[in-house]
Amino acid sequence: IHAWVDLDEREVVKLVDTGPKNTNVVENLRTHYYREGKRDLRDDLTPYNVIQPDGPSWNVDGHTVEWQNWHVRVGFNHREGLVLYDITYEDEGTERPILRRASYPEVVTAYNDPDPDHDWKAPFDVGEYGLGRLANSLTEGCDCLGYMHYWDAVLNDGDGNAQVIPNAICLHEEDYGLLWKHYDWRVGDHEVRRNRRLVISFISTIGNYDFAFYWYFYQDGSIESEVRLTGCNATGLLSGDNRETGYSETIGPGHKSMLHQHVFNCRLDFTIDGETNTVREVNLNDVPYGPEGYDPTPHAGVTDQNLNPHGNAAYVERTRLERESDAQRMTDTHAGRYWEIVNENVTNDATGEPVGYRLMPKAGTNTAFPMQPGSSNAKRAGFATKHLWVSQYDDAERYPAGEYPNQHPGGVGLPVWTDADRSIANEDLVVWYNMCQTHVSVPEDWPILPTKMVSFKLEPAHFFEENPAIDVPPEHAIKDIDKWKTENQEGMDLEDN
């Protein structure tokens, strides 16, 4: 039953009853419980404890964090939730700026099923609900693991009174496998380093979905932003013994989950070694044998007409994005496409190239936004139609779907701002990157969705003169491994552990 309501007059205009599809819905879902007390739990897990007996490696002063040459200021607001400010890297005593501000200013979840029970669904989780307002109070041992530091979120409720969300932001370190390694078999020299990263995170629950936002800082100077999706899929009913695939997927008897997208928009206000930056698109290109194909005499000499005599040549092409209209781009995994944000006024002493960072998409997790031009979703979420946008900085341009997307017909925000086609070469600029996750449901996603992940990474490119993680000490220099095992793992077979 759908109610059409005039929100200005506060009147019900009409009711639409599409009729019952399934009278056995309760019986069909009776076994789909997820809470601890309702399920038989496996009993073959032993405790996994993460301890730091000497404390963490970070230093926290109010909302400022220092860790492994990184300096970050942590903020929070009711709309975007976690916001990071003034991200710098200390390079031989000099704090070098990278990002002035980083946040997720909009998230839209748009449904693709034309079923009238579901075709109207497209919530704007930032502009309509507020990621920060719906943040969780994080719990030790599950939401975060190890030695932790928490910040509370201090907001206003609907009446303007103070609202405190305890433990809304979590800070911790975690092991992340191999950082770098080389075994020189000629002399038997073996050098290996563990990869440790700093994690700043928060989790927001918007109705049925739980979104976990993570910012990772690495010892090699890179930054990663990741969103993990879990929670309970929105579902619908099927008539009789019908099954569906395509617009929705059957996940149980008389029960479907609709095809939908989650579009996470990340706003990156870059200040790489200064406020004026430039973006370059990088694509992998192959080279034909020559103007007439294969040259049967490849050793006859290389000329301008025969630059690839053996068929092995390929190159990366860099295209400088000059104006906002040039910088409305899609990912391309076949071309290995990524983008470089560089400061053309500062060069690397070793290479002479401009200092910069690469924005690296995660392969295979970013789809197109399939809404038809002119549709309500395409107009209201116009920012989602491209994966990358670049705009000239304007302090008033904060939310890509506009200031007030609730009930807005569209035609505002990022697409309108960039219609001005301002210069973005050697300017104070903002990069907007969309991660569009298309969810095709399966029974294994029910009743609770195992975590799905989307992410991108910012990697230094000519920002440093060598690997900045070359000075990370090996584990035996950080702690006495043999002594620790003896004290903490008595009774275990140390050769196997």
Side-chain angles (χ1 to χ4, degrees):
I1 298 176
H2 301 282
W4 295 71
V5 182
D6 186 323
L7 295 178
D8 294 322
E9 299 297 330
R10 300 191 178 190
E11 293 179 351
V12 176
V13 178
K14 62 179 178 178
L15 289 174
V16 178
D17 185 351
T18 59
K21 289 184 177 179
N22 191 321
T23 58
N24 296 321
V25 58
V26 175
E27 188 64 31
N28 288 338
L29 301 181
R30 190 173 296 281
T31 62
H32 291 279
Y33 300 114
Y34 65 89
R35 291 184 175 87
E36 176 185 354
K38 292 281 191 176
R39 303 301 298 242
D40 293 329
L41 304 178
R42 62 184 71 179
D43 58 4
D44 56 352
L45 285 173
T46 59
Y48 180 82
N49 296 316
V50 177
I51 61 172
Q52 292 178 277
D54 297 326
S57 303
W58 69 67
N59 179 63
V60 176
D61 181 9
H63 284 75
T64 300
V65 182
E66 296 179 0
W67 179 84
Q68 296 284 289
N69 298 319
W70 287 106
H71 299 252
V72 184
R73 186 161 60 87
V74 177
F76 198 92
N77 64 58
H78 80 284
R79 188 160 176 166
E80 300 161 290
L82 177 62
V83 181
L84 301 183
Y85 298 90
D86 303 329
I87 299 173
T88 65
Y89 191 94
E90 189 169 330
D91 184 13
E92 297 183 350
T94 300
E95 276 194 56
R96 301 177 63 187
I98 299 170
L99 284 160
R100 177 164 47 199
R101 192 180 190 277
S103 70
Y104 281 87
E106 195 54 83
V107 177
V108 61
T109 301
Y111 286 77
N112 309 112
D113 192 342
D115 182 336
D117 286 342
H118 307 285
D119 62 3
W120 48 272
K121 296 177 179 177
F124 287 70
D125 298 320
V126 175
E128 293 182 330
Y129 291 94
L131 291 177
R133 187 173 66 87
L134 299 175
N136 295 184
S137 289
L138 303 177
T139 59
E140 295 184 11
C142 285
D143 289 323
C144 300
L145 190 63
Y147 192 108
M148 289 155 286
H149 177 87
Y150 292 105
W151 287 278
D152 296 342
V154 182
L155 310 170
N156 295 105
D157 63 18
D159 296 321
N161 300 314
Q163 175 191 6
V164 178
I165 303 175
N167 294 359
I169 308 170
C170 179
L171 172 74
H172 72 283
E173 293 174 290
E174 63 185 23
D175 181 89
Y176 194 59
L178 202 62
L179 176 61
W180 58 262
K181 172 188 172 75
H182 183 59
Y183 174 64
D184 190 335
W185 56 270
R186 297 172 183 84
V187 297
D189 179 67
H190 191 179
E191 292 283 340
V192 60
R193 303 292 187 269
R194 295 297 298 175
N195 193 0
R196 191 182 301 191
R197 65 185 183 183
L198 185 74
V199 186
I200 305 175
S201 64
F202 89 107
I203 301 174
S204 184
T205 300
I206 304 93
N208 54 297
Y209 263 104
D210 299 78
F211 297 144
F213 295 84
Y214 298 86
W215 290 92
Y216 303 119
F217 295 86
Y218 293 92
Q219 294 164 304
D220 64 0
S222 61
I223 305 169
E224 184 178 10
S225 185
E226 178 184 75
V227 183
R228 302 186 184 189
L229 301 84
T230 182
C232 183
N233 272 348
T235 58
L237 299 180
L238 294 170
S239 299
D241 295 327
N242 289 347
R243 293 187 298 113
E244 286 195 17
T245 59
Y247 296 128
S248 63
E249 301 292 323
T250 302
I251 61 171
H255 200 211
K256 69 175 181 178
S257 184
M258 293 71 69
L259 185 73
H260 59 277
Q261 282 81 40
H262 302 275
V263 184
F264 298 91
N265 178 265
C266 189
R267 182 181 183 273
L268 300 165
D269 184 358
F270 281 98
T271 55
I272 295 178
D273 273 345
E275 288 193 350
T276 54
N277 293 165
T278 300
V279 178
R280 305 187 299 199
E281 181 172 288
V282 183
N283 290 285
L284 175 66
N285 284 345
D286 59 9
V287 179
Y289 279 109
E292 297 179 0
Y294 176 65
D295 185 345
T297 56
H299 300 289
V302 177
T303 69
D304 290 342
Q305 302 300 315
N306 181 20
L307 297 178
N308 191 13
H310 304 295
N312 68 304
Y315 68 100
V316 291
E317 180 182 32
R318 288 178 168 84
T319 303
R320 188 174 188 252
L321 304 180
E322 302 284 347
R323 309 197 72 81
E324 290 174 326
S325 59
D326 302 325
Q328 300 173 17
R329 308 294 297 161
M330 302 293 285
T331 57
D332 185 347
T333 55
H334 296 289
R337 180 173 296 167
Y338 62 89
W339 295 275
E340 294 176 336
I341 299 89
V342 301
N343 188 330
E344 297 175 326
N345 306 306
V346 181
T347 56
N348 184 295
D349 289 340
T351 65
E353 293 295 318
V355 299
Y357 265 74
R358 295 172 176 171
L359 194 163
M360 304 291 295
K362 184 177 181 180
T365 60
N366 210 348
T367 68
F369 190 59
M371 306 299 164
Q372 288 298 303
S375 67
S376 175
N377 285 342
K379 289 188 291 186
R380 297 184 67 220
F383 70 90
T385 58
K386 305 293 181 183
H387 290 140
L388 182 101
W389 304 73
V390 183
S391 64
Q392 191 181 108
Y393 177 82
D394 186 324
D395 191 57
E397 297 176 0
R398 183 66 55 82
Y399 304 108
E403 291 281 343
Y404 308 106
N406 197 351
Q407 301 293 318
H408 200 286
V412 296
L414 191 53
V416 174
W417 302 334
T418 53
D419 277 346
D421 204 19
R422 296 164 292 191
S423 169
I424 53 170
N426 206 23
E427 300 278 1
D428 188 358
L429 54 81
V430 176
V431 174
W432 312 74
Y433 183 65
N434 287 317
M435 295 182 290
C436 181
Q437 195 258 7
T438 294
H439 193 174
V440 184
S441 297
V442 291
E444 291 83 353
D445 293 339
W446 182 257
I448 294 293
L449 175 68
T451 298
K452 310 294 183 185
M453 290 175 278
V454 293
S455 68
F456 67 90
K457 202 166 188 180
L458 301 176
E459 298 179 347
H462 298 271
F463 193 78
F464 302 102
E465 294 188 12
E466 64 173 359
N467 179 354
I470 206 71
D471 61 350
V472 172
E475 289 301 297
H476 68 77
I478 301 174
K479 61 186 178 185
D480 188 331
I481 299 294
D482 292 331
K483 180 180 178 182
W484 187 89
K485 284 182 177 180
T486 301
E487 293 177 351
N488 295 276
Q489 298 181 335
E490 292 183 2
M492 296 182 64
D493 186 347
L494 299 186
E495 291 298 321
D496 294 335
N497 292 277

